[in-house]
Amino acid sequence: MTNEGVKLPRVTNRKIADIFNEIADLLDIDGDNPFKVRAYRNAARTILGYPREMADLVEEGFDLTTLRGIGKELAKKITEIVRTGKLVYLEKLKKTHPPQLEELLKIPGLGPGRVRLLHELLRINSLEDLENALREGKLKKVPGFGPKLIAKIENGIQTRRYEAHRFKLSEALPVAEWIVKILKKTKGAIHVEIAGSLRRRKETVHDIDLVAACEEINDTMVYFLNLPKIQKIVMKGTTRSTILLENGMSVDLRVVSTESFGATLHHFTGSKAHNITLRKMAVEKGMKINEYGIWQGKKRIGGDKEEDIYNLFGMQYIEPEMRENRGEIALAQDHQLPTLITRADIKGDLHIHTTYSDGLASIEEMALQAKRLGYEYIAITDHTEHLKVAHGMDEKRARKQLEEIDVLNEKLDGITILKAAEIDILEDGSLDMPDSILEALDLTVCSVHTRFNLSLRKQTERILKAMENPHFTILAHPTGRLIGLREPYDIDMEAVMRQAKARGCILELNAQPDRLDLNDIHSKMAKEMGIRIAISTDAHSLNDLELMRYGIWQARRGWIEKADVINTLPLTALQKLFREMKG
Ligand code: DGT
Ligand code: CA
Ligand code: ZN
């Protein structure tokens, strides 16, 4: 959103960092001076981790060269980006490279050096070129490209192709909710609901599926086809239409009568595998389920409500998040379904950043916001020293923070601030904080932020070793993946979970929509192994605290119940748990 009177949209730190990283990538592919390349990457990291916006600093006439790793040249470039929204240097650089070359860098296993090699030896300039070369077996002939690397690249391409056409839940859901709100107000509309993977709250979705129940005379479809921001009408009909929005999202609407609504909503909620199992079961009973209802011969015996379908088999109702055919149908038949966690069960947030590291709000502001959300407690988890890019705290600042928390706990009513830190797990598996501080903390949130590409064995050992520390409480974002951006690091999750179980450590389900890590499968695995989890927002701002809902949805997809999650405990019980963990 732009402010009134401001012509250009505000340039964010993210955008500046992206530009610098892109320059670094291109220079790197060219085999340019490594120091120059690193200078751009370091600057990008400084900017990204800086607690204030470069746009504001430029406006205030702040001397950017006082920032870590920013010299005169880079300061000039930052100013140019802030003022014009782009950088002439990058535009020029791009002209000398095939436009799709950078795409290749996003494939795991392909760094700039290898991309350069492929470009020089095989004239590979795009994903398509790469796929052709793979198919023709040409990669085998390139020095350094062994079968393991080639398999990794093949895998990476597949993931990339799959993800290229998917949107994050957090991108699609607000759009869907906006459309539903509009359509609900149209004449003749009785119900309008989100269906598909979006209703199942899958972490990424291919499209938005909507189902409406309308009276015979309605203008719901007409409004749908006249929504703002439509790029193209893909398919147009009275009961079904598909539109493509300007942002590239495809939206499907089906309009049915109220008597079919339950069956249609159920059908289009999926998953396909879940539906197929139910349909087979119906056939065995001499009945038929389709998108219009439940049928016995030609007679319609139900389908107004979704519940009709589950009632048909004497089953419990299955929540959309569980409809993945992962054993939920058998459980529902036995009336043994888990009672899935809800947002209302959450009593606090155990992963929060403040201005002590790379957060935007103070401890007090975060605490007051948490109180407004109805929480009993929060844990402040600023970064430790090793994470320089996020202005990690040294021992002195950590001490200062602990004192401030004491003062605030005296002052504030109705919310308790727990002492914690997000502690880097160093490459050798040690924790980046002296024992003297660790002893003063209520809990620790420990994470890997560096050296993502260690081997499977080394990365796993690193984490297992860290968990041996008696001060280790929660393993944050356990696989390190960023949806669509970064693959999980190579780790043996089963080994990590066994260790968590043995040591009584907690695993985090990080609620940031681009992390959602643990994912659904891992959450379910943790539950089955009897490991407790913490659902945390990793908030860097007041608004971020609201991301909890994404974590809850992912947890529900992993069959998680209230009792599996430590931040559903009341404060005293939680404190007792942390004390016991410290031994
Ligand atoms: P997505 O769009 O890839 O994120 O995942 P979904 O699950 O939303 O899949 P989509 O949009 O292709 O279809 C929506 C639902 O419609 C799906 O979850 C189940 C149902 N459906 C689609 N195709 C079939 C099918 O061939 N057989 C059955 N039984 N159901 C189907
Ligand atoms: Ca869909
Ligand atoms: Zn964090």
Side-chain angles (χ1 to χ4, degrees):
M1 283 303 132
T2 50
N3 291 324
E4 294 285 328
V6 181
K7 271 185 243 100
L8 280 169
R10 241 167 81 95
V11 172
T12 58
N13 285 355
R14 161 75 60 185
K15 160 118 194 203
I16 302 170
D18 285 349
I19 291 180
F20 282 3
N21 277 326
E22 198 174 347
I23 292 173
D25 285 344
L26 292 173
L27 294 177
D28 218 347
I29 292 173
D30 291 345
D32 208 310
N33 179 351
F35 290 101
K36 193 169 157 195
V37 174
R38 204 168 314 143
Y40 278 103
R41 291 209 204 282
N42 287 342
R45 238 178 281 139
T46 298
I47 292 165
L48 210 54
Y50 202 74
R52 296 200 51 211
E53 291 291 327
M54 294 299 126
D56 292 334
L57 299 184
V58 168
E59 205 174 298
E60 290 164 15
F62 182 87
D63 179 6
L64 295 173
T65 62
T66 58
L67 302 183
R68 192 182 307 130
I70 310 281
K72 255 207 191 121
E73 262 313 300
L74 288 173
K76 241 168 72 189
K77 292 197 165 74
I78 295 172
T79 310
E80 181 186 336
I81 299 167
V82 167
R83 298 244 162 91
T84 67
K86 55 182 205 244
L87 189 66
V88 173
Y89 176 60
L90 174 62
E91 313 276 301
K92 276 193 192 150
L93 206 54
K94 278 167 116 169
K95 283 205 187 106
T96 64
H97 293 82
Q100 292 182 48
L101 203 57
E102 288 166 79
E103 267 295 296
L104 296 176
L105 285 177
K106 294 180 186 147
I107 305 295
L110 283 187
R114 286 180 178 149
V115 169
R116 181 169 64 237
L117 211 56
L118 294 177
H119 173 69
E120 280 169 1
L121 294 180
L122 299 176
R123 300 268 109 219
I124 290 176
N125 289 328
S126 65
L127 262 187
E128 221 182 310
D129 294 347
L130 180 61
E131 280 182 308
N132 289 335
L134 274 167
R135 209 170 313 119
E136 291 159 17
K138 285 187 183 160
L139 248 55
K140 283 181 243 163
K141 294 172 200 136
V142 181
F145 281 66
K148 240 173 120 181
L149 176 61
I150 292 180
K152 188 169 181 179
I153 294 171
E154 272 171 341
N155 250 323
I157 293 178
Q158 261 182 24
T159 321
R160 198 78 212 140
R161 288 256 179 248
Y162 175 75
E163 278 167 356
H165 299 285
R166 298 187 71 84
F167 295 90
K168 279 181 271 184
L169 177 61
S170 59
E171 297 168 319
L173 191 62
V175 176
E177 283 172 343
W178 164 71
I179 298 174
V180 166
K181 203 171 143 196
I182 294 175
L183 297 186
K184 272 192 170 158
K185 285 187 217 147
T186 54
K187 196 175 79 196
I190 298 163
H191 307 286
V192 184
E193 295 288 344
I194 295 170
S197 48
L198 194 54
R199 182 161 179 242
R200 304 197 311 277
R201 304 298 193 233
K202 215 170 150 174
E203 62 194 29
T204 63
V205 303
H206 171 70
D207 61 357
I208 296 175
D209 300 290
L210 303 175
V211 175
C214 296
E215 287 162 17
E216 213 174 307
I217 298 180
N218 68 74
D219 54 21
T220 309
M221 194 54 96
V222 173
Y223 269 80
F224 179 69
L225 293 169
N226 284 285
L227 283 170
K229 298 184 195 290
I230 292 184
Q231 187 187 122
K232 190 166 95 183
I233 292 177
V234 182
M235 203 184 76
K236 192 167 146 178
T238 46
T239 59
R240 178 179 175 185
S241 300
T242 305
I243 56 174
L244 184 67
L245 298 176
E246 280 169 8
N247 64 10
M249 284 178 201
S250 165
V251 190
D252 236 40
L253 173 69
R254 274 121 180 144
V255 172
V256 297
S257 65
T258 38
E259 61 163 23
S260 305
F261 182 66
T264 308
L265 181 62
H266 186 269
H267 174 79
F268 290 109
T269 296
S271 67
K272 192 169 157 182
H274 176 92
N275 290 356
I276 289 174
T277 304
L278 288 174
R279 285 175 181 205
K280 274 198 196 131
M281 287 168 57
V283 170
E284 279 159 24
K285 282 172 84 88
M287 281 176 279
K288 188 177 143 191
I289 301 172
N290 65 15
E291 55 188 288
Y292 305 105
I294 307 169
W295 307 83
Q296 191 141 42
K298 289 223 152 58
K299 194 166 158 260
R300 199 175 166 287
I301 57 166
D304 308 23
K305 293 201 290 312
E306 262 196 323
E307 282 84 348
D308 294 350
I309 291 169
Y310 297 105
N311 287 341
L312 183 67
F313 307 102
M315 274 186 212
Q316 285 174 291
Y317 175 80
I318 302 177
E319 300 283 354
E321 293 94 326
M322 287 188 73
R323 299 185 196 167
E324 297 290 348
N325 205 32
R326 292 177 183 158
E328 72 280 5
I329 292 174
L331 281 190
Q333 278 182 304
D334 294 345
H335 286 245
Q336 298 289 327
L337 280 180
T339 307
L340 300 183
I341 186 168
T342 68
R343 166 67 184 76
D345 294 325
I346 296 293
K347 297 211 167 59
D349 197 327
L350 299 175
H351 187 159
I352 290 177
H353 296 272
T354 72
T355 48
Y356 272 86
S357 60
D358 55 352
L360 296 176
S362 68
I363 304 176
E364 183 167 10
E365 286 168 326
M366 285 306 227
L368 291 174
Q369 182 67 12
K371 190 179 157 180
R372 260 173 245 132
L373 294 175
Y375 290 159
E376 278 183 40
Y377 50 82
I378 54 169
I380 298 299
T381 57
D382 279 307
H383 289 290
T384 54
E385 198 171 5
H386 185 71
L387 203 61
K388 298 232 163 43
V389 296
H391 289 243
M393 303 182 291
D394 55 17
E395 194 175 338
K396 203 169 135 218
R397 273 175 62 71
R399 289 237 172 262
K400 184 164 170 271
Q401 182 175 69
L402 297 184
E403 281 166 26
E404 186 178 335
I405 291 176
D406 282 333
V407 172
L408 285 169
N409 275 332
E410 280 291 312
K411 178 176 152 190
L412 301 177
D413 275 334
I415 185 97
T416 298
I417 305 166
L418 297 171
K419 294 171 180 168
E422 178 168 11
I423 299 178
D424 259 54
I425 299 173
L426 304 181
E427 193 178 343
D428 65 0
S430 59
L431 300 185
D432 180 34
M433 198 52 113
D435 278 352
S436 55
I437 299 269
L438 291 175
E439 272 151 26
L441 302 178
D442 295 302
L443 70 147
T444 60
V445 171
C446 305
S447 47
V448 167
H449 284 122
T450 52
R451 305 283 286 142
F452 295 126
N453 40 18
L454 291 183
S455 69
L456 176 83
R457 190 177 57 82
K458 283 197 175 141
Q459 197 70 278
T460 306
E461 277 171 7
R462 174 188 191 179
I463 293 171
L464 298 189
K465 169 138 188 286
M467 283 188 177
E468 273 163 23
N469 191 311
H471 297 293
F472 190 109
T473 319
I474 300 174
L475 178 64
H477 38 73
T479 76
R481 64 113 174 231
L482 292 176
I483 297 173
L485 265 184
R486 189 171 75 208
E487 294 289 304
Y489 28 75
D490 280 334
I491 75 170
D492 178 349
M493 271 308 266
E494 245 188 86
V496 168
M497 288 200 189
R498 276 197 306 271
Q499 175 82 327
K501 174 77 183 164
R503 303 274 320 134
C505 299
I506 313 292
L507 298 182
E508 179 180 87
L509 194 174
N510 190 295
Q512 296 270 332
D514 53 356
R515 288 194 183 271
L516 294 174
D517 176 14
L518 304 175
N519 66 16
D520 50 358
I521 305 274
H522 286 146
S523 301
K524 188 159 177 270
M525 204 168 132
K527 182 195 170 83
E528 279 160 9
M529 289 177 70
I531 299 160
R532 280 191 284 189
I533 67 170
I535 307 178
S536 307
T537 64
D538 200 351
H540 285 70
S541 66
L542 296 179
N543 283 341
D544 276 0
L545 287 168
E546 318 263 0
L547 298 175
M548 186 59 81
R549 59 183 194 144
Y550 292 99
I552 298 288
W553 286 324
Q554 186 77 306
R556 288 166 63 87
R557 287 181 55 80
W559 300 20
I560 297 293
E561 300 178 272
K562 183 178 175 182
D564 302 319
V565 177
I566 62 165
N567 50 317
T568 62
L569 290 171
L571 177 65
T572 42
L574 186 69
Q575 282 171 321
K576 185 161 164 268
L577 173 76
F578 290 151
R579 273 198 307 273
E580 283 166 3
M581 282 179 77
K582 285 194 155 210

